[in-house]
Amino acid sequence: TGVRYDSRRVDPGDLFVARRGQHADGHDHVPAAIAAGAVAVLVERPLPGVEVPELVVRDAKVALGIAAAWHAGDPSHTLGIVGITGTDGKTTTAYLVRTILEAAGRPAGLLGTTDVIVAGQSLGNAARTSTPEAPELQAHRAAMLAGGDRWAVVESTSHGLAQLRVAGVAYDVAVLTNVSSEHLEFHGTLEAYREAKRSLFARLTVSDENPDKGWGKHAVVNADDPQGEAVAKVAADAGARVLHYGQAGQLGEREPESVDLAAVSLTETPAGMLVGMRAGAWTGTVALQLAGRFNVANALAAMGVALALGLDLDAAAAALGRLESVPGRMQRIDEGQPFTVVIDYAHTAESLDKVLSELRPPADGRLIVVFGSAGDRDASKRAPMGQVAGEGADLVIITDEDPRSEDGEAIIEAIARG
């Protein structure tokens, strides 16, 4: 009746998957799962005294994803799936891609950090998990399909990829925004973090479990990122068509012809930005309402998805211009106060530097930044974020974000030292 990985959530009739995590081993909780009504258990080693069938597998994380997909009816074998990965820009790019798909008459759900959207309805995301665990991930996809969605846009994080939450997901398009240092508390090394990002593109191989649904397999890769070349090779080796996007002309050093999609001009306006673009043989201007020059790259990535899928690019450009804002991403709050308030998710030194660089020129008075850093996450980024804030703002207010199991004051002190 269900697939569970948490013995506390087992209902009678469920399959319990005993996977090993960072802090606990699910095998230790098999007796509790059976007592709660599990009728079978999926394990990596046989356990003595178990009175229900045991399915013994090499890797319970992979098997959890496949079992959850089977139980949900393999929804991603019917839904088109766009996966977006990168240190920054995933959420904004996901919203832009969904906007384009909807405008093209392809109803699309969304799984992201700030929201889960199923059949046009916002479900929120109280857990703040960008890539949910496999049973929840598959259940959302099944609900999308049942509700009339034909595509799903999914933020695919390094955690979700490394922990194989996406096992059983048949991706059609994979997008790379950028890669900088992040989540080293989990991955251990920067190379392991990069490898997790690259693994999304290895999933573009066509197989019985990952069929070609009629629109092929595509990778949309940021050519301006140092990891772009390595990611493109992984995608090409998987058999995917690779599209590169980058900034040219006054925005960058590369020639527009060196990439498949290029931003060749930028004019900032009170309403946002006018971005001159080339996408394949198409050229035009996109009138973005989104603030922040870094959103030019996110818009290019979204147009790359449209180009990959053969959508009408004039309609795609118009759709990009209709997106007014993305929750928590350079989001302006106007309650009539005599100063400007902007909320942004910037959670690395690089992204915070970009935000402050954007806000400094239009600031008439002081630029004040209020931020913190999450607990049980990469501690190495705290001092660099403090340094960036100290250099880029007139007043820095350091506060708790979510200390989790750590001492919040110690996190604040680490930022203050920077």
Side-chain angles (χ1 to χ4, degrees):
T1 53
V3 179
R4 302 289 187 184
Y5 54 88
D6 185 338
S7 60
R8 297 164 297 184
R9 298 177 59 191
V10 168
D11 292 321
D14 284 349
L15 166 71
F16 175 68
V17 180
R19 60 177 189 176
R20 290 172 293 169
Q22 283 183 283
H23 306 294
D25 186 342
H27 294 77
D28 297 334
H29 301 280
V30 166
I34 294 173
V39 294
V41 293
L42 196 153
V43 295
E44 292 181 351
R45 61 179 186 272
L47 300 174
V50 173
E51 298 178 352
V52 300
E54 294 176 283
L55 292 79
V56 184
V57 298
R58 180 176 300 167
D59 191 328
K61 292 187 181 72
V62 174
L64 171 61
I66 295 172
W70 284 350
H71 184 261
D74 285 320
S76 68
H77 287 195
T78 303
L79 278 172
I81 308 293
V82 179
I84 300 170
T85 197
T87 308
D88 305 308
K90 292 187 297 296
T91 296
T92 298
T93 303
Y95 272 79
L96 290 167
V97 169
R98 179 176 181 269
T99 299
I100 286 175
L101 290 170
E102 290 273 325
R106 303 189 182 195
L110 183 143
L111 286 171
T113 308
T114 60
D115 202 1
V116 175
I117 301 174
V118 175
Q121 299 298 310
S122 169
L123 305 182
N125 187 357
R128 295 193 303 145
T129 303
S130 303
T131 309
E133 297 286 357
E136 291 80 11
L137 185 67
Q138 296 295 344
H140 284 315
R141 292 177 195 280
M144 289 175 186
L145 197 57
D149 287 327
R150 291 298 171 260
W151 283 79
V153 183
V154 185
E155 291 187 41
S156 302
T157 63
S158 62
H159 282 76
L161 292 163
Q163 293 179 334
L164 303 174
R165 299 175 198 167
V166 299
V169 176
Y171 286 98
D172 301 288
V173 184
V175 179
L176 176 73
T177 58
N178 57 58
V179 182
S180 60
S181 180
E182 174 70 327
H183 297 310
L184 299 189
E185 86 294 336
F186 172 77
H187 296 284
T189 66
L190 182 57
E191 178 53 31
Y193 173 63
R194 291 168 175 167
E195 175 58 32
K197 297 294 189 187
R198 291 194 293 267
S199 71
L200 171 63
F201 297 83
R203 293 182 174 277
L204 295 173
T205 302
V206 174
S207 67
D208 290 341
E209 291 188 353
N210 189 13
D212 181 349
K213 290 163 250 178
W215 36 74
K217 303 291 184 179
H218 307 272
V220 180
V221 177
N222 185 353
D224 293 333
D225 189 87
Q227 287 300 302
E229 184 176 350
V231 167
K233 184 179 186 306
V234 171
D237 289 345
R241 173 196 180 199
V242 180
L243 295 175
H244 296 85
Y245 67 92
Q247 300 184 15
Q250 69 182 71
L251 304 181
E253 296 179 358
R254 69 173 63 254
E255 293 297 322
E257 294 76 16
S258 66
V259 288
D260 301 288
L261 300 101
V264 297
S265 66
L266 171 64
T267 303
E268 297 187 68
T269 71
M273 297 179 289
L274 297 176
V275 184
M277 284 190 187
R278 181 186 63 77
W282 178 90
T283 59
T285 299
V286 177
L288 285 178
Q289 297 188 58
L290 303 180
R293 284 167 289 178
F294 47 80
N295 278 320
V296 172
N298 297 330
L300 276 173
M303 283 292 281
V305 175
L307 179 61
L309 297 177
L311 304 182
D312 183 313
L313 297 184
D314 285 320
L320 293 181
R322 288 195 292 271
L323 184 64
E324 295 180 1
S325 65
V326 176
R329 304 306 191 270
M330 291 296 281
Q331 181 182 6
R332 294 183 180 272
I333 306 299
D334 185 0
E335 297 294 337
Q337 76 277 2
F339 49 88
T340 300
V341 175
V342 177
I343 298 176
D344 192 81
Y345 187 66
H347 60 289
T348 64
E350 182 177 357
S351 58
L352 183 60
D353 183 46
K354 288 179 180 177
V355 168
L356 295 179
S357 296
E358 292 287 343
L359 296 177
R360 168 57 74 186
D364 293 330
R366 290 188 302 170
L367 178 58
I368 302 171
V369 59
V370 183
F371 78 105
S373 189
D376 297 336
R377 294 294 185 266
D378 187 359
S380 68
K381 68 180 183 178
R382 292 169 186 168
M385 289 185 74
Q387 180 180 348
V388 165
E391 293 172 347
D394 298 303
L395 174 63
V396 180
I397 301 173
I398 310 170
T399 185
D400 271 339
E401 179 182 325
D402 181 359
R404 296 187 174 92
S405 68
E406 290 193 62
D407 178 358
E409 288 296 326
I411 296 175
I412 288 171
E413 284 299 323
I415 296 171
R417 282 194 295 272

